[in-house]
Amino acid sequence: RDGLGVTSVNMGIGRSEAGKLGIVFAPRSSGASLQEEMKARIGLRADTFGFTAEYSGEYPGWSYREVSPIREVFCESYRELFGKELKTEALHAGLECGLFSDAIPGLDAIAVGPTLYNVHTPEEYLPLDSFERFYVLLKDVLRRLAES
């Protein structure tokens, strides 16, 4: 999708213990090959500066699907409940959807939720009216799926 980042890396944790420096990076990508390329680049930089790179706890890639039946159920439900279109967007993040999609081939995985602001910062907040709408929406979508 236009404007959507496909690969990124975040420095999450830095610590010094017993005279050693440890830095934790979280590389993410929508594609497995791009994820591997990012890990290789991190490893090369580590080698260049005399560090060792280790990898664990990775989130697999999770690609955006243009056609998503489950997303359509959410959109239809939102339209009928609230009289307007649901804002849907592709985003670049490390989410469990990639883990589930890897474990269950063909799974139509989406991430849904209320509006959040300043995520992962001390100023993070959730407007309660957004949460209330999401709760109503989720109950309706689950009802629709149970009846289909």
Side-chain angles (χ1 to χ4, degrees):
R1 294 191 44 114
D2 292 337
L4 178 64
V6 293
T7 305
S8 68
V9 63
N10 175 47
M11 186 178 87
I13 300 171
R15 65 177 156 256
S16 176
E17 295 176 6
K20 293 184 178 182
L21 174 64
I23 302 173
V24 177
F25 293 97
R28 297 177 182 97
S29 181
S30 57
S33 63
L34 295 172
Q35 177 90 346
E36 291 304 313
E37 181 183 319
M38 179 60 71
K39 287 169 41 184
R41 293 168 75 186
I42 291 170
L44 178 61
R45 286 183 175 88
D47 288 346
T48 300
F49 294 102
F51 291 92
T52 302
E54 299 174 8
Y55 306 97
S56 67
E58 299 174 48
Y59 279 100
W62 172 47
S63 297
Y64 178 81
R65 286 186 178 180
E66 287 294 332
V67 177
S68 167
I70 192 73
R71 186 174 57 237
E72 293 308 315
V73 173
F74 271 91
C75 290
E76 180 181 311
S77 175
Y78 193 90
R79 191 178 311 110
E80 291 178 16
L81 288 170
F82 305 113
K84 57 185 177 179
E85 295 300 315
L86 176 65
K87 178 182 177 186
T88 63
E89 59 187 336
L91 58 89
H92 176 68
L95 297 172
E96 288 76 9
C97 295
L99 296 170
F100 296 139
S101 295
D102 270 7
I104 306 169
L107 178 70
D108 182 17
I110 64 170
V112 297
T115 301
L116 298 169
Y117 294 98
N118 303 315
V119 177
H120 305 310
T121 74
E123 290 82 32
E124 179 174 336
Y125 71 95
L126 161 69
L128 290 180
D129 61 334
S130 177
F131 176 79
E132 291 168 351
R133 276 191 313 278
F134 178 70
Y135 181 68
V136 169
L137 174 65
L138 183 59
K139 287 192 314 183
D140 188 65
V141 167
L142 293 174
R143 179 191 56 77
R144 288 169 187 252
L145 293 173
E147 291 174 356
S148 64

